[in-house]
Amino acid sequence: MERRSFLKKTGVGIAAGAVAAPAIAQGLPEIQWRLASSFPKSLDTIYGAAEMFQSRVAAATGGKFQIRVFAGGEIVPAFSVMDAVKDGTVECGHTASYYFFGKDPAFALDTAVPFGLNAREFNAWFMHGGGKELLREFFAGYNIMNFPMGNTAAQMGGWFRKEIKSVKDLDGLKFRVGGFAGKVLSKLGTVPQQIPGGDIYPSLEKGTIDAAEWIGPYDDEKLGFQKVAQFYYYPGWWEGGPNLSLYINQDKWKALPEEYKNIIEAAAAEANVDMLAKYDAKNPDALKRLVAGGAKLRPFPRDVMDASYKAAQEVYAETTAASPAFKKIYEAMVKFRDDQNLWHSVADGNFDRFMQTRKR
Amino acid sequence: MERRSFLKKTGVGIAAGAVAAPAIAQGLPEIQWRLASSFPKSLDTIYGAAEMFQSRVAAATGGKFQIRVFAGGEIVPAFSVMDAVKDGTVECGHTASYYFFGKDPAFALDTAVPFGLNAREFNAWFMHGGGKELLREFFAGYNIMNFPMGNTAAQMGGWFRKEIKSVKDLDGLKFRVGGFAGKVLSKLGTVPQQIPGGDIYPSLEKGTIDAAEWIGPYDDEKLGFQKVAQFYYYPGWWEGGPNLSLYINQDKWKALPEEYKNIIEAAAAEANVDMLAKYDAKNPDALKRLVAGGAKLRPFPRDVMDASYKAAQEVYAETTAASPAFKKIYEAMVKFRDDQNLWHSVADGNFDRFMQTRKR
């Protein structure tokens, strides 16, 4: 206590000793970075995580470390963010790595794969289950450092023009769904469609497609799908807890002072938990409004879930045979996931089920 | 880019301009704080959150902001931490505020109350559901600033010497359980017992008590309860997601430079998500070992859950009548909780249930 009070009054201390040293040693450097987000500002919860992150980093460094955030397409096309980070065109990016699973399916494992981890399990796997080491080894091969920075929680299964009564109704269905989920659903006869977010509504309205998945109540509501496809299915088993990450070019990362590295790691973790909290706070009211506006909420029939799970195992067998990186990370993740599901079915699952079904 | 490269080469910039200024302006102050934890080092997951926090703060400030962590009883008795922070005896503490519900029952709402929030819901409520504003208003009355810093997830219901077949078996049961849960269980005839952690095992062994709750598999295993009380019940409905917080003396908080305040907030959020992740990673193997060692895993019968829920509502009616602070915060929390349970029963609940019960 004495010492601190002395420092305050006199201004003497470590800082004083540095007066005669070169200027650079007297404080941390001014740094300006650019962060390319893959997301539009209209997805305020996802895009907002990058804003929260940069704001914390700036405030924690007295404004010396400034990270300017650009929405998808502003300086880098949404689906080129990973390459831009790898090549150092931008210092960092915020994206869903499963967009890049065409390069290697292992990219999907840093976001979500069908019947994968939920939001809480992803954090547990990454932070204390070996996920961090496996994923960082993979991304190092692309000259990238990765930090989890947001999760939407389990997504919805999407908007369907007709009711899905059994797995047979998926046969021939033109469904706007991408990536791994599309591969799985193809095995059940579904015809996956790749359509940008802005084109989904007119496609559903005209009947060019039969169904479309987007995110969850809060984001879906903005696009008004309930007016043209009333059956709103859950869960989006292909995205049980999609993780968005901060990706940093390794050379830029290594050049940072230790203080800035530590601030980045803590600020990314904060934005990570904050995005999930924001979605949780916003989704219930949006869901109520959607239902009041005509959305018909339906769980996928059990035979759809079982057939999809079975089809997913076929896709995983093919994918692990094709990509050694995928095989290595996926198999570790599955082992961890199965243990998590065992434990979560006990105290948490039982508590949650009681709270969800209690008589009031 | 040009500017940054120029800065690096010449060392000219804001720092250089500060050479002639008073030394204190050239860098942030050296500060040393003491953090009093209520927890023993043997609870490495809970105690470890404070260690992780101090380590990040130190590294993010180049070692200038040092926070020394003391285990419960080392410099402040475990159950005096809140007072010590309030009075400025220590700058900050890490504890479960429900230990202090004797001062005002509202203290319990920053940790857990029976049939309250799960871990994810607590974060959502605090960060984006109005919980932060309500709880900070309450703690400001005690000259304290609060930040969530860890969650154990839903705890187990505890170790019972005899099987609980219906709510009648709770009548006359001597159960080591404290606080709000004890009040609720008293209404069902249970006789709550207050016994320190180290004395639970011999009390169970001798039959001085019939049952005891502690935390969850990872921590319970260390104390060996399965040897003397084999029935291991779930869930601990009185702790569906207990939050531990960092509490800082307001005067000390206000005196911090903005940079340090920002670093504290991010580092506490990081330790918050990290503790939950660590418990999730450690609990499944511990549970398997306990069951292999003879523990008989049982859910509380539905009539026990229903009767406990009903008794809890009676306690809440009494408590809201007695404490205006409790009433204000509790009613806002309940409204938020009910919306969360609605939403979580849809995409997340459905996904989790499928994953927990799927045929492999």
Side-chain angles (χ1 to χ4, degrees):
Chain A
M1 310 289 167
E2 289 306 306
R3 173 127 199 267
R4 212 162 358 124
S5 150
F6 177 73
L7 279 176
K8 265 196 197 163
K9 280 181 197 142
T10 61
V12 173
I14 281 190
V19 168
I24 196 72
Q26 290 174 7
L28 289 161
E30 279 201 330
I31 294 185
Q32 289 170 31
W33 272 15
R34 300 192 300 174
L35 184 156
S37 170
S38 283
F39 309 104
K41 289 180 184 169
S42 58
L43 291 178
D44 57 303
T45 306
I46 299 184
Y47 178 83
E51 284 287 1
M52 182 191 191
F53 166 73
Q54 72 78 17
S55 167
R56 183 66 77 201
V57 170
T61 60
K64 285 185 178 175
F65 190 177
Q66 295 285 346
I67 300 172
R68 190 165 165 200
V69 177
F70 295 89
E74 278 187 14
I75 53 169
V76 173
F79 299 114
S80 302
V81 165
M82 200 67 83
D83 280 336
V85 173
K86 173 176 157 285
D87 299 338
T89 311
V90 290
E91 290 82 5
C92 59
H94 187 226
T95 187
S97 69
Y98 65 6
Y99 293 152
F100 309 94
F101 93 123
K103 293 176 188 292
D104 189 312
F107 275 97
L109 293 162
D110 196 37
T111 309
V113 294
F115 303 103
L117 304 169
N118 69 20
R120 183 167 141 185
E121 291 165 353
F122 185 90
N123 284 337
W125 180 54
F126 191 90
M127 296 177 192
H128 291 283
K132 177 163 65 186
E133 294 72 16
L134 287 167
L135 289 168
R136 286 197 175 159
E137 180 187 53
F138 173 73
F139 282 109
Y142 292 84
N143 198 35
I144 286 171
M145 183 68 174
N146 54 304
F147 300 90
M149 198 162 90
N151 201 303
T152 66
Q155 297 196 1
M156 291 293 282
W159 299 87
F160 291 69
R161 286 161 54 93
K162 290 185 188 159
E163 195 165 1
I164 302 296
K165 291 180 180 159
S166 84
V167 69
K168 285 176 198 160
D169 294 331
L170 294 181
D171 194 13
L173 196 85
K174 285 178 281 179
F175 185 20
R176 187 268 179 197
V177 62
F180 252 105
K183 283 194 178 196
V184 173
L185 286 162
S186 292
K187 294 196 180 278
L188 304 174
T190 301
V191 188
Q193 311 282 314
Q194 310 280 354
I195 300 174
D199 297 339
I200 301 175
Y201 186 96
S203 303
L204 273 176
E205 190 176 30
K206 280 183 271 174
T208 316
I209 57 174
D210 303 305
E213 64 94 38
W214 185 235
I215 300 176
Y218 177 67
D219 292 319
D220 289 8
E221 186 188 24
K222 298 174 202 164
L223 300 185
F225 299 134
Q226 75 281 7
K227 294 173 214 149
V228 288
Q230 294 197 307
F231 295 97
Y232 194 22
Y233 277 92
Y234 61 88
W237 45 259
W238 47 93
E239 293 177 280
N243 168 69
L244 295 315
S245 280
L246 169 71
Y247 298 99
I248 300 178
N249 177 281
Q250 284 274 14
D251 306 319
K252 308 291 182 184
W253 170 253
K254 285 175 189 160
L256 287 178
E258 285 305 312
E259 289 90 334
Y260 289 0
K261 286 184 185 172
N262 276 278
I263 289 168
I264 280 183
E265 191 155 3
E270 181 188 27
N272 182 28
V273 61
D274 189 82
M275 189 199 293
L276 180 63
K278 205 166 177 181
Y279 265 116
D280 279 344
K282 286 175 179 290
N283 272 324
D285 281 348
L287 182 67
K288 287 187 211 171
R289 286 191 301 266
L290 286 168
V291 170
K296 291 174 180 157
L297 207 52
R298 297 280 189 282
F300 281 124
R302 180 77 194 204
D303 78 331
V304 166
M305 294 295 288
D306 285 336
S308 301
Y309 183 77
K310 190 165 169 286
Q313 305 319 304
E314 292 170 28
V315 174
Y316 288 135
E318 295 157 16
T319 311
T320 50
S323 162
F326 184 88
K327 180 178 162 64
K328 181 178 179 180
I329 306 171
Y330 174 75
E331 288 177 354
M333 184 274 280
V334 161
K335 187 174 177 301
F336 188 83
R337 177 199 67 189
D338 289 348
D339 276 351
Q340 291 296 295
N341 279 311
L342 170 72
W343 162 235
H344 288 159
S345 70
V346 180
D348 279 282
N350 206 273
F351 178 76
D352 290 347
R353 277 190 294 280
F354 177 79
M355 294 305 292
Q356 289 164 14
T357 59
R358 76 195 188 285
K359 300 180 200 94
R360 286 171 229 179
Chain B
M1 301 293 173
E2 290 305 305
R3 175 129 197 264
R4 210 159 3 120
S5 150
F6 177 72
L7 280 176
K8 266 195 196 162
K9 281 180 195 142
T10 60
V12 173
I14 279 189
V19 169
I24 196 70
Q26 289 176 7
L28 289 162
E30 280 200 331
I31 294 185
Q32 289 169 31
W33 273 14
R34 300 192 300 173
L35 184 155
S37 171
S38 283
F39 310 103
K41 289 180 183 169
S42 58
L43 291 179
D44 58 303
T45 306
I46 299 184
Y47 177 82
E51 283 287 2
M52 182 191 191
F53 165 74
Q54 72 77 16
S55 166
R56 183 67 77 200
V57 170
T61 61
K64 286 185 176 173
F65 190 178
Q66 295 284 346
I67 301 173
R68 190 167 165 199
V69 177
F70 295 89
E74 277 187 13
I75 53 169
V76 173
F79 299 114
S80 302
V81 165
M82 200 68 83
D83 280 336
V85 173
K86 173 177 157 286
D87 300 337
T89 311
V90 291
E91 290 81 6
C92 59
H94 187 226
T95 187
S97 68
Y98 65 5
Y99 294 150
F100 310 95
F101 95 122
K103 292 176 188 293
D104 188 311
F107 274 97
L109 293 161
D110 197 38
T111 309
V113 293
F115 303 104
L117 304 168
N118 69 21
R120 184 168 141 185
E121 290 166 352
F122 185 90
N123 284 338
W125 182 54
F126 190 90
M127 297 177 191
H128 292 283
K132 177 162 65 185
E133 295 72 17
L134 288 167
L135 289 169
R136 288 198 173 159
E137 181 187 52
F138 173 74
F139 282 109
Y142 291 83
N143 197 35
I144 286 171
M145 184 69 176
N146 55 303
F147 300 89
M149 197 162 90
N151 201 302
T152 65
Q155 297 196 1
M156 291 294 282
W159 299 88
F160 291 68
R161 285 159 56 93
K162 289 184 187 159
E163 194 165 1
I164 301 296
K165 291 183 181 159
S166 85
V167 68
K168 285 176 198 159
D169 294 330
L170 295 181
D171 195 13
L173 196 85
K174 284 178 283 180
F175 185 21
R176 186 270 178 195
V177 62
F180 252 105
K183 284 195 179 198
V184 173
L185 286 163
S186 293
K187 293 195 182 279
L188 304 173
T190 301
V191 188
Q193 311 282 315
Q194 308 281 353
I195 300 173
D199 298 338
I200 301 175
Y201 186 96
S203 304
L204 273 176
E205 191 175 30
K206 282 182 271 173
T208 316
I209 58 173
D210 303 306
E213 65 93 40
W214 185 233
I215 299 176
Y218 177 66
D219 292 318
D220 290 7
E221 187 189 24
K222 298 174 201 162
L223 300 185
F225 300 133
Q226 75 281 4
K227 295 174 213 147
V228 287
Q230 293 196 310
F231 294 97
Y232 195 22
Y233 276 91
Y234 60 89
W237 45 259
W238 48 92
E239 294 177 280
N243 169 67
L244 295 315
S245 279
L246 170 71
Y247 298 100
I248 301 178
N249 177 280
Q250 283 274 14
D251 306 319
K252 308 291 183 187
W253 170 253
K254 285 175 188 161
L256 288 178
E258 285 306 312
E259 288 89 336
Y260 289 0
K261 286 183 184 171
N262 276 278
I263 288 168
I264 279 183
E265 190 155 3
E270 181 188 27
N272 182 27
V273 61
D274 189 82
M275 189 199 293
L276 181 64
K278 205 166 177 180
Y279 266 118
D280 279 345
K282 286 174 179 291
N283 273 324
D285 281 348
L287 182 67
K288 287 188 213 170
R289 286 190 300 265
L290 286 168
V291 170
K296 291 172 180 161
L297 207 52
R298 297 281 187 281
F300 281 126
R302 180 76 194 203
D303 78 332
V304 166
M305 294 296 286
D306 286 336
S308 302
Y309 183 77
K310 189 166 169 285
Q313 305 319 303
E314 293 170 28
V315 174
Y316 287 134
E318 295 157 17
T319 313
T320 50
S323 162
F326 185 87
K327 181 178 160 68
K328 182 178 180 180
I329 306 171
Y330 174 75
E331 288 176 355
M333 184 275 278
V334 162
K335 188 174 176 300
F336 188 83
R337 177 200 65 188
D338 289 348
D339 276 350
Q340 290 297 295
N341 279 311
L342 171 71
W343 162 234
H344 289 160
S345 69
V346 179
D348 280 282
N350 206 273
F351 178 75
D352 290 347
R353 278 189 294 280
F354 178 78
M355 293 306 291
Q356 288 164 14
T357 59
R358 76 195 189 283
K359 302 181 200 91
R360 285 171 229 180

